[in-house]
Amino acid sequence: MRNSKLASLEEAILRSGLKDGMTISFHHHFRGGDKVVNLVVGKLAEMGFRDLHLAASSLSDVHAPLIEHIKAGVITSISTSGLRGELADAISHGLMEKPVVFRSHGGRGSAIAGGELHIDVAFLGASSCDELGNASGCPRSENAKSICGSLGYALPDAEYADHVVVLTDDLVPYPNVPMSIRASRVESVVVVDSVGDSSKISSGAIRDSKNPRDVLLAKQAAKVILNSGYFKDGFSIQTGTGGASLAVVKYLRESMVGSGVKASFALGGITAHMVKLHQEGLIGKLIDVQSFDKVAAESIASDIAHQEVSAVDYASGQHLGSAVHALDIVILSALEVDSDFNVNVLVGSDGIIRGAVGGHPDTAEDSALSIIVCPLLRGRIPCIVPKVTTLTTPGRSVDVVVTEYGIAVNPARPEIAERLAAAGLNVVDINALCEKAMGMTGRPDPLPFGERVVGIVMDRKGGILDKIRNIEQ
């Protein structure tokens, strides 16, 4: 029968052959508005499953209900790019016996494609799907309830999982084209009330900041780009999360218009600012692994030059064709940067996990110019420190650090320092920035870390980059 893939969630789980001890996966394209993880894990708990490995592309504040499922033994291991909120706090304090494995987006894609991270059953939310399983992050009907745009982080799961279940709140007539996930990869389709709240995609770290300090940092980063030697016709660009790094594109626009310089493509998480520049003819193509707001999600639904890309083709270090290998400039944020240019984007100054590795190390390593935008202090917390709390991006991959007190350039890139200094920018030694931060705040006391390892940070090639220990307070 043509509609044989339609099933209730419980029927789909039974059909999948899921057993205790297996691995289930999810994507995070709805970010803080995701409803799939809690719905599915709640049903699995109700059905009596135990000892499951939850492999999500990322987890956030909304996933606090997982705490009770971990305590009950339903979920006993997690791999992800990030953790936030109550769940992150509980894990930082030793909630789980097994450490959480943190991978970058490219590292996760590589691990799935290479079999290191084997997924038994993938549960993937989609904004539209037909009865055979052709699924998309774009809605197709007048009564559609959600939109997330690109499903780039779900595509490796759909391609390599043993069994794929698509959950949707918009069941549409066959064929649902263009599709992101092909029906040939889907075993079950489950219709639910809601897969996610689209209004919360751009919440938290994905925000358009009007903070004066973020504006200043964004303007300084734009000046770095303009004078770096990489601002030339046909350059490519990506911005990471965080208000300042996202805002850089706005301040490049005037120079692009005035000089006639156009970008060949923008990569990664695509924003409304990038869509605007693309529509104005200033950016040729948009390569979208994750739509960061509704404008970007709507653009990918209608613009052939705005293309979805899987996490593997976006940032895998093991695949020579991944897009990051063609990336010229990336602007990224940081929780901490140390005097060796190492970056921490995962663990706060209090020792609590509160962020995500994301594509940070992938893009920093493979881009021609990596720029970290970071204030000297956040409140009374130093961000330029002698040694980062947790290493997520090695300093050898970082070229420039932009703060409101000056711009530090990695000694491995003297040509960039010379260009910026010649342009009159305030180029300073990163050790001087560190000392200034320490002078303003005093050197922080050592954090009360315990002996238990609660997290393992993997590098792009599958090795261990750092370990996170439990915080005892």
Side-chain angles (χ1 to χ4, degrees):
M1 294 176 60
R2 201 171 86 170
N3 66 349
S4 61
K5 291 185 180 180
L6 291 175
S8 68
L9 180 55
E10 184 167 338
E11 289 170 340
I13 292 168
L14 292 172
R15 184 185 294 175
S16 73
L18 183 68
K19 292 179 172 51
D20 291 352
M22 285 187 169
T23 297
I24 56 175
S25 76
F26 303 88
H27 69 74
H28 74 292
H29 286 281
F30 284 101
R31 298 181 65 83
D34 174 69
K35 297 183 181 181
V36 172
V37 172
N38 293 337
L39 174 67
V40 171
V41 177
K43 175 59 69 173
L44 293 172
E46 180 185 308
M47 294 173 68
F49 285 94
R50 296 182 62 81
D51 192 28
L52 296 173
H53 171 206
L54 191 157
S57 54
S58 201
L59 296 167
S60 61
D61 305 49
V62 73
H63 300 122
L66 289 177
I67 294 171
E68 295 307 314
H69 298 308
I70 292 169
K71 290 178 178 178
V74 179
I75 302 298
T76 55
S77 59
I78 291 175
S79 58
T80 181
S81 172
L83 288 173
R84 292 181 171 88
E86 293 178 35
L87 176 62
D89 186 88
I91 288 173
S92 298
H93 283 91
L95 173 66
M96 303 188 72
E97 291 297 322
K98 297 178 183 177
V100 174
V101 176
F102 292 94
R103 292 183 177 91
S104 69
H105 289 322
R108 181 179 187 268
S110 295
I112 293 173
E116 179 186 347
L117 177 56
H118 176 80
I119 298 169
D120 294 294
V121 185
F123 294 92
L124 307 177
S127 298
S128 64
C129 188
D130 61 39
E131 59 191 4
L132 293 190
N134 293 299
S136 172
C138 301
R140 305 291 188 212
S141 70
E142 294 180 0
N143 300 317
K145 298 179 180 179
S146 67
I147 181 172
C148 67
S150 173
L151 287 177
Y153 296 133
L155 295 182
D157 306 53
E159 184 68 22
Y160 294 100
D162 290 346
H163 194 100
V164 176
V165 177
V166 169
L167 296 91
T168 188
D169 50 21
D170 186 20
L171 185 69
V172 299
Y174 177 88
N176 183 27
V177 293
M179 77 288 286
S180 298
I181 298 171
R182 305 185 308 278
S184 60
R185 296 299 309 141
V186 178
E187 280 73 34
S188 296
V189 177
V190 178
V191 180
V192 297
D193 290 336
S194 176
V195 292
D197 181 348
S198 303
S199 69
K200 295 183 179 180
I201 292 175
S202 58
S203 62
I206 309 301
R207 70 193 191 283
D208 189 3
S209 176
K210 294 179 174 59
N211 182 299
R213 185 186 63 189
D214 286 348
V215 171
L216 172 63
L217 290 171
K219 289 181 176 179
Q220 286 296 100
K223 290 178 181 178
V224 169
I225 292 171
L226 293 175
N227 295 284
S228 66
Y230 291 93
F231 181 71
K232 50 191 175 184
D233 204 41
F235 77 99
S236 56
I237 189 168
Q238 175 171 341
T239 58
T241 59
S245 57
L246 288 171
V248 171
V249 175
K250 288 195 298 185
Y251 301 108
L252 278 181
R253 179 183 176 277
E254 184 176 346
S255 295
M256 293 175 75
V257 171
S259 65
V261 170
K262 297 180 180 180
S264 57
F265 69 88
L267 177 64
I270 299 300
T271 65
H273 297 313
M274 289 181 175
V275 171
K276 182 175 186 293
L277 267 65
H278 168 60
Q279 292 173 342
E280 293 175 335
L282 298 175
I283 299 177
K285 295 180 175 65
L286 303 176
I287 304 176
D288 191 342
V289 73
Q290 180 178 29
S291 305
F292 273 169
D293 51 45
K294 190 177 180 182
V295 172
E298 290 173 342
S299 170
I300 202 171
S302 58
D303 187 345
I304 195 170
H306 186 168
Q307 286 289 312
E308 179 181 60
V309 65
S310 80
V312 176
D313 294 327
Y314 160 52
S316 169
Q318 278 64 57
H319 292 71
L320 295 179
S322 60
V324 288
H325 296 307
L327 181 62
D328 291 319
I329 302 166
V330 64
I331 307 99
L332 301 163
S333 60
L335 292 174
E336 296 175 327
V337 181
D338 70 22
S339 54
D340 290 321
F341 288 83
N342 297 311
V343 179
N344 166 31
V345 293
L346 188 58
V347 178
S349 59
D350 55 0
I352 304 297
I353 300 166
R354 59 179 72 255
V357 180
H360 202 288
D362 303 311
T363 53
E365 181 172 336
D366 286 342
S367 61
L369 176 67
S370 59
I371 301 170
I372 308 297
V373 181
C374 182
L376 193 72
L377 310 175
R378 286 190 178 90
R380 293 289 299 169
I381 307 296
C383 300
I384 308 298
V385 296
K387 181 178 174 59
V388 290
T389 304
T390 301
L391 175 60
T392 53
T393 300
R396 65 177 181 275
S397 301
V398 174
D399 297 316
V400 180
V401 176
V402 176
T403 77
E404 69 272 44
Y405 288 92
I407 299 162
V409 180
N410 194 316
R413 303 300 305 270
E415 77 284 6
I416 295 175
E418 291 172 6
R419 292 167 190 160
L420 299 185
L425 298 182
N426 182 24
V427 178
V428 299
D429 189 282
I430 196 161
N431 291 289
L433 289 175
C434 182
E435 287 302 316
K436 186 173 188 65
M438 295 298 103
M440 295 170 72
T441 65
R443 292 185 180 270
D445 295 331
L447 290 169
F449 285 118
E451 295 302 316
R452 288 184 54 193
V453 176
V454 297
I456 297 175
V457 183
M458 309 297 289
D459 66 22
R460 297 180 73 201
K461 296 180 180 179
I464 295 176
L465 190 61
D466 205 351
K467 295 180 180 179
I468 305 167
R469 300 192 182 276
N470 67 302
I471 195 79
E472 294 183 334
Q473 62 178 20

